[in-house]
Amino acid sequence: MYEDKAGNIWFGTDAGASRYDGKIFQTVKMKEGLDTKGAPSDSTHVSTYEDELWRQNDINDIFEDKTGKLWFSTKGSFYVYDGITATAVANPNGKSFVNVSSAVQDKKGNIWLGGKDGLWRYDGRAFTNVTQNVTSYIYEDKKGNIWTSSENATDRNWVLTRYDAKSLTDKNPAATEIKPKQKGNKGRLFGILEGNDGSIWVGSMSGAYRYEGLIR
């Protein structure tokens, strides 16, 4: 769920992005724009994962940028919504991003997205691939550092990574990796949140972690 600047509540579903304005629900379908009549009563869920339309409309994450545009991370691709049409964003090779899990806009206006294709930074003109490791979640702390949870392609273990705020625009930002005690799928990391004291909290398959290593 996500609340935009106008106070609308957005829900990421497996059949598009649903917006509630306090009175009615409206549905944004990828490649179809805003359905002002709402979701049709006879709509059905397509359970076949290979079905392209279903993947494009299965929403993983929603956020609003500084200009008021909404960005939808889906199992199919990455979309930007201008209030009328949801348009797929292509990677540097002209192809769609695949299974984008999370995306944020940092304090400087850069957009970070992570998923099956790794972690990417978009400065408004071009995309830069920061790592090819599968990235699950992205978070910016109060100091402007970017934190991610990702799966190492070498040993398939999960790691929490902190990218230093001062080097975010570098081709290879300075990164600090923090490895959980659990290995494999048990060590898989999900949501990230900063505590009032600067500690970093991370959800995992084996419980919650609290990291204090960078508290000043």
Side-chain angles (χ1 to χ4, degrees), residues 76-209:
S77 189
F78 190 48
Y79 288 84
V80 57
Y81 177 63
D82 61 6
I84 300 175
T85 304
T87 304
V89 178
N91 65 26
N93 296 321
K95 298 180 180 180
S96 295
F97 289 98
V98 179
N99 199 359
V100 180
S101 299
S102 178
V104 301
Q105 185 172 40
D106 65 26
K107 293 178 174 62
K108 295 182 179 179
N110 297 301
I111 291 176
W112 297 76
L113 66 115
K116 186 176 180 181
D117 293 326
L119 177 66
W120 294 77
R121 182 183 69 247
Y122 178 58
D123 62 6
R125 300 180 302 274
F127 283 95
T128 300
N129 183 217
V130 179
T131 178
Q132 294 183 355
N133 290 340
V134 174
T135 301
S136 175
Y137 196 81
I138 307 170
Y139 181 81
E140 183 184 25
D141 67 21
K142 298 171 185 176
K143 296 180 179 179
N145 303 303
I146 295 293
W147 295 79
T148 68
S149 59
S150 60
E151 182 184 36
N152 189 299
T154 303
D155 56 18
R156 304 302 297 272
N157 288 320
W158 284 78
V159 63
L160 175 68
T161 304
R162 171 188 177 272
Y163 294 94
D164 188 85
K166 297 179 181 179
S167 66
L168 292 183
T169 57
D170 295 348
K171 185 176 181 180
N172 297 302
T176 302
E177 292 188 347
I178 303 97
K179 298 179 180 179
K181 294 180 180 180
Q182 298 289 344
K183 303 296 182 181
N185 197 47
K186 289 185 177 180
R188 183 172 184 176
L189 304 174
F190 297 101
I192 304 171
L193 187 67
E194 182 179 13
N196 290 332
D197 61 356
S199 60
I200 297 295
W201 293 76
V202 190
S204 79
M205 290 286 285
S206 56
Y209 288 96

Side-chain angles (χ1 to χ4, degrees), residues 11 67 72 99:
F11 299 85
T67 68
F72 303 130
N99 199 359

Side-chain angles (χ1 to χ4, degrees), residues 4-18:
D4 66 23
K5 297 171 184 176
N8 301 303
I9 305 299
W10 292 82
F11 299 85
T13 78
D14 61 1
S18 184

